[in-house]
Amino acid sequence: MVYKIKRLFFISLLFAVSVAISEKKLVEIKFNDITDVQKLVDLNIDLDHHRTFNSVHAFVSNGEFDIISKLNFEIEYIPNQARIYYEELKENTQNSRNPMEDYHNYVELTDFLEDIATNYPDITHLKSIGQSVQGRELWVMEISDNPGTNEIEPEFKYVANMHGDETVGRELSLYLIEWLVSGYGNNQRATDLINNTDIFIMPTMNPDGFENGSRYNANGVDLNRDFPDQFSDPNNTTMGRQPETRAVMEWSWDQHFVLSANMHTGALVANYPFDGPNSGVYSASPDDDLFVHISLAYADAHPDMASGGFSNGITNGAQWYAVSGGMQDWNYVWESDCDITLEQNEVKFPNSNQLPGLWEDHREPMLVYLEEVHDGVRGVITDIDSGEPLNANISIQGIDHDIFPDPENGDYYRLLTPGTYTISASVFGYLTESATVTVPITGYVEQNFTLSLDPWLAEAEIEDFEEGIFSDLGWGFDGSANWATDNTVVFEGNYSVKSGNINENEESSMSIELDVIEDGQISFYKKVSCESTGSVTGNYYDYLAFFIDGVEIDKWAGEIDWSLESFPVNAGIHTFKWLFIKDGGVTSGSDAAWVDYIVLPPISTNEECGSGDINGDEINNVLDVVLLVNCILGSECETCQADINQDETVNVLDVVLLVNSILN
Ligand code: ZN
């Protein structure tokens, strides 16, 4: 397992292609005040992990170099140590070296993983989650007592080497894989971890970058700036992103990770969310206590992490330097997954003879961090009648960050620091359940929830379009094209309704007028796939809007998957309208909106029975008596109105009652 360039002749060929993309060069930038770093962030400069109180390393193009110089920063090119060592390894293939002392190139890494999968088939599952720009497999090793099965166990992931020239984590993750599988059945700790956790390890997210000695992927993109970002790019979509980023996003959507970390080098620190928006300013997430706790768990287990220049070996991301499009914030904000960024060594691409020492230092921290996935509160959420798993919102009083269970089994894992909490499980249409739980110092407390249907929903009128047509409630349409039922994209059942196929500067609306008989609410599920709002202005261009009585209540744009909306409605006659509208210019996504499962407010569906107004003219008179008599004699009649005493039979007694009611 040595760095054999000869085996990589075809990769060298690819490398020749990739250098066509002008490589940014490493610089040191000096500044007087920490807040000056924000100026560099605003310029979208690729800051590297190394930073002191008056300098930072960055990768810049020639143009950026000039701009930064003109802003009165002191800037100079510095040797790129990782690049130099990479070139040296390329020059000197050292076939005789001990494998533990060497880096695994792509071919060797693939061989290593395939060997593990072959030798430990019962506890491993190797799969590729996609290909890099240059066609290398993006390997993920799953380690579990039932690999490939979604068990009621927390899912954990380590991702390494997303910056191709940050190589330590790539090797450490291979050693960790080996340590875990070889300890199964003979080392209690490894056995417990594998029996109780679904562990996923991705040794390299950027195999092209490693092979090319570059931070970037083969398209010259920094993958840790390529994810959706809550501040600058709040669209949780893979559109426009790199193949490596897309693969990790889609993989994360398939899994249900609870805890994870991504491994870097260039500093020695555990870095936690949020990564933005402003450099030098602490940006706490709602789970700040938890992030400090799990970051310290890693740092405290390392013999020397506090020597990296950060207090206790940890830092808030933005306080260090702001990153937009980073992976850790994406995992937390969108995926219910607590992710931190581990900087494992100040030298990015250290001499391979340091790898055994680095493994000694980081083995315990990596294991301790992995074990953190078993702290907090966990349980299963099911329907009380059917026992089916429910996709509930799990919320903790006082922490503004809900998480979701694994939809397949209904199992949830809410990581929390030790203490007492009020936890609630809520699902649309069910009565919310809450409980008080005490999270122990180590380990977890179990809290299952069995939810029952809300009686309100059980009695409500629901328009779910399951007949494949609009119901006879009196739907109306307007605009350039009508909404229509759709059986390809649905929230539930077989049908939803989709906005009409419209062009630029057109609109498509559907509406319904209802006589609401008591105060209540209207709820529906919507899905949108169209141009996003302006990333800076927040302006809406193409969007779905919902109106009550001609007043716009809310609107949505971009890529939004099925999600619930609920709005209060007072008794009275109201018009509800759903409008999809496009301006000129950009077309994006499916360019449409969908609505499904509308739960209507209480409405008068049937007229009251037994009124005696047989002909429906709103007056009870002798004509109704005649009709009622004929009804008894055998003519067709409206039984509902004719059955005055509601005994389910229309007979002479009803005639007597009707006559008396008219005479009175
Ligand atoms: Zn990095």
Side-chain angles (χ1 to χ4, degrees):
M1 305 199 191
V2 292
Y3 205 91
K4 287 197 211 92
I5 296 301
K6 270 176 271 177
R7 293 171 64 180
L8 291 171
F9 67 96
F10 75 100
I11 284 163
S12 309
L13 200 76
L14 290 166
F15 177 54
V17 176
S18 76
V19 289
I21 298 159
S22 72
E23 187 84 5
K24 294 182 176 183
K25 295 195 195 79
L26 189 61
V27 292
E28 180 166 81
I29 305 169
K30 293 206 166 117
F31 46 83
N32 297 320
D33 192 283
I34 202 87
T35 54
D36 289 339
V37 176
Q38 187 58 34
K39 292 180 192 160
L40 300 170
V41 171
D42 291 343
L43 287 170
N44 272 326
I45 300 298
D46 288 342
L47 297 180
D48 198 5
H49 303 299
H50 174 86
R51 205 199 80 189
T52 67
F53 286 109
N54 54 12
S55 75
V56 65
H57 290 180
F59 288 90
V60 299
S61 64
N62 293 340
E64 287 170 335
F65 188 98
D66 293 341
I67 291 166
I68 294 165
S69 311
K70 284 182 188 134
L71 287 173
N72 289 325
F73 283 98
E74 208 177 298
I75 177 168
E76 60 173 348
Y77 289 112
I78 57 169
N80 184 339
Q81 163 276 331
R83 187 76 195 189
I84 292 164
Y85 186 61
Y86 162 81
E87 300 288 355
E88 191 184 308
L89 284 176
K90 235 170 86 166
E91 294 295 313
N92 307 303
T93 56
Q94 298 181 49
N95 300 313
S96 63
R97 292 196 299 182
N98 178 334
M100 273 295 282
E101 293 177 358
D102 292 293
Y103 290 97
H104 294 71
N105 65 28
Y106 175 70
V107 173
E108 293 157 346
L109 179 136
T110 302
D111 287 349
F112 176 96
L113 295 173
E114 285 175 345
D115 282 352
I116 295 274
T118 305
N119 294 333
Y120 300 91
D122 296 338
I123 52 166
T124 63
H125 180 234
L126 177 64
K127 78 167 185 177
S128 168
I129 60 164
Q131 280 86 37
S132 66
V133 172
Q134 295 179 335
R136 295 185 178 89
E137 300 297 341
L138 300 172
W139 295 119
V140 168
M141 179 66 82
E142 178 185 359
I143 306 174
S144 161
D145 54 345
N146 287 295
T149 307
N150 184 11
E151 297 176 273
I152 299 190
E153 285 179 359
E155 293 170 33
F156 177 97
K157 75 175 188 288
Y158 272 131
V159 174
N161 196 216
M162 69 191 295
H163 289 143
D165 60 351
E166 298 172 16
T167 57
V168 171
R170 178 179 165 115
E171 294 300 311
L172 295 188
S173 47
L174 298 184
Y175 306 158
L176 180 63
I177 290 170
E178 179 133 44
W179 186 90
L180 285 166
V181 297
S182 64
Y184 190 67
N186 54 62
N187 174 318
Q188 194 60 49
R189 196 176 185 191
T191 308
D192 286 347
L193 275 170
I194 294 171
N195 281 343
N196 301 316
T197 327
D198 207 356
I199 305 165
F200 294 83
I201 300 176
M202 183 181 201
T204 175
M205 181 179 159
N206 185 4
D208 298 350
F210 179 84
E211 232 57 43
N212 300 335
S214 165
R215 172 187 186 84
Y216 304 99
N217 80 344
N219 286 334
V221 174
D222 185 334
L223 298 178
N224 207 27
R225 305 290 184 275
D226 195 38
F227 282 83
D229 187 277
Q230 61 177 327
F231 303 111
S232 60
D233 176 19
N235 298 298
N236 192 19
T237 160
T238 56
M239 271 187 300
R241 307 193 195 280
Q242 295 299 306
E244 295 88 354
T245 314
R246 288 204 301 268
V248 166
M249 288 177 71
E250 281 161 8
W251 171 47
S252 302
W253 289 337
D254 284 347
Q255 300 299 331
H256 196 78
F257 296 113
V258 173
L259 179 66
S260 60
N262 62 95
M263 304 183 197
H264 295 250
T265 39
L268 186 60
V269 67
N271 170 115
Y272 55 88
F274 289 136
D275 265 336
N278 298 310
S279 286
V281 182
Y282 198 107
S283 180
S285 75
D287 278 294
D288 198 54
D289 287 352
L290 173 69
F291 276 115
V292 168
H293 176 86
I294 58 178
S295 302
L296 279 176
Y298 192 98
D300 288 350
H302 186 278
D304 206 20
M305 201 103 165
S307 73
F310 296 88
S311 174
N312 299 314
I314 67 171
T315 185
N316 171 258
Q319 189 175 37
W320 185 15
Y321 63 91
V323 163
S324 173
M327 186 161 70
Q328 73 175 12
D329 282 12
W330 174 75
N331 275 308
Y332 177 71
V333 171
W334 277 284
E335 304 307 317
S336 294
D337 175 22
C338 293
D339 192 57
I340 67 170
T341 302
L342 299 169
E343 300 285 347
Q344 294 173 313
N345 193 45
E346 285 177 1
V347 176
K348 277 194 176 195
F349 203 150
N351 191 297
S352 57
N353 65 20
Q354 293 180 36
L355 289 171
L358 284 162
W359 168 236
E360 276 306 305
D361 290 350
H362 286 279
R363 182 179 59 236
E364 184 63 20
M366 289 197 296
L367 292 171
V368 165
Y369 187 78
L370 210 170
E371 285 161 344
E372 285 289 326
V373 80
H374 293 288
D375 288 358
V377 53
R378 64 170 65 170
V380 177
I381 302 160
T382 48
D383 178 297
I384 197 164
D385 296 319
S386 68
E388 288 293 311
L390 291 174
N391 198 5
N393 251 42
I394 305 295
S395 57
I396 301 289
Q397 204 177 84
I399 303 178
D400 185 18
H401 185 74
D402 294 354
I403 62 143
F404 304 92
D406 187 323
E408 203 176 314
N409 297 321
D411 52 330
Y412 77 91
Y413 305 86
R414 184 46 165 108
L415 304 185
L416 290 165
T417 55
T420 298
Y421 300 89
T422 302
I423 180 170
S424 301
S426 52
V427 185
F428 172 67
Y430 285 79
L431 296 172
T432 296
E433 296 271 343
S434 298
T436 302
V437 293
T438 298
V439 174
I441 302 290
T442 53
Y444 60 86
V445 57
E446 197 169 308
Q447 180 65 52
N448 297 322
F449 291 97
T450 49
L451 304 186
S452 13
L453 267 181
D454 188 335
W456 160 74
L457 185 71
E459 286 171 15
E461 181 94 2
I462 294 165
E463 168 68 285
D464 58 2
F465 312 105
E466 286 308 297
E467 302 292 316
I469 50 167
F470 285 83
S471 69
D472 57 5
L473 287 166
W475 286 97
F477 304 93
D478 205 356
S480 307
N482 285 358
W483 284 65
T485 53
D486 180 14
N487 63 359
T488 55
V489 176
V490 298
F491 166 68
E492 59 84 51
N494 296 318
Y495 288 94
S496 68
V497 283
K498 183 184 181 184
S499 58
N501 196 1
I502 55 170
N503 298 313
E504 292 177 0
N505 299 310
E506 292 184 345
E507 59 181 65
S508 165
S509 73
M510 62 171 185
S511 59
I512 187 171
E513 187 186 273
L514 297 174
D515 182 5
V516 178
I517 54 172
E518 57 183 276
D519 293 356
Q521 58 180 327
I522 184 165
S523 304
F524 57 89
Y525 283 83
K526 55 104 184 37
K527 176 183 166 80
V528 184
S529 174
C530 67
E531 183 185 3
S532 308
T533 55
S535 61
V536 178
T537 60
N539 289 345
Y540 283 76
Y541 305 112
D542 303 349
Y543 58 90
L544 170 70
F546 176 63
F547 296 79
I548 299 180
D549 300 329
V551 177
E552 184 181 279
I553 305 296
D554 208 344
K555 56 186 167 182
W556 307 274
E559 293 297 319
I560 305 175
D561 204 359
W562 286 111
S563 41
L564 175 68
E565 301 298 337
S566 273
F567 303 100
V569 181
N570 295 330
I573 294 175
H574 296 288
T575 304
F576 304 96
K577 182 171 87 166
W578 290 260
L579 169 76
F580 182 67
I581 185 165
K582 283 181 62 56
D583 72 342
V586 183
T587 288
S588 180
S590 306
D591 214 24
W594 291 262
V595 169
D596 200 355
Y597 208 75
I598 306 172
V599 181
L600 302 172
I603 52 172
S604 63
T605 43
N606 298 315
E607 303 97 274
E608 206 124 312
C609 283
S611 70
D613 183 16
I614 317 283
N615 61 359
D617 66 354
E618 306 204 334
I619 310 163
N620 285 7
N621 55 22
V622 70
L623 199 53
D624 295 300
V625 177
V626 172
L627 288 168
L628 176 54
V629 170
N630 277 298
C631 180
I632 295 165
L633 295 177
S635 310
E636 296 239 323
C637 71
E638 167 65 71
T639 328
C640 164
Q641 300 309 338
D643 184 16
I644 313 286
N645 63 356
Q646 300 280 286
D647 65 352
E648 317 234 308
T649 349
V650 179
N651 55 22
V652 71
L653 199 52
D654 296 302
V655 178
V656 173
L657 288 168
L658 179 59
V659 169
N660 274 305
S661 78
I662 293 167
L663 294 177
N664 290 339

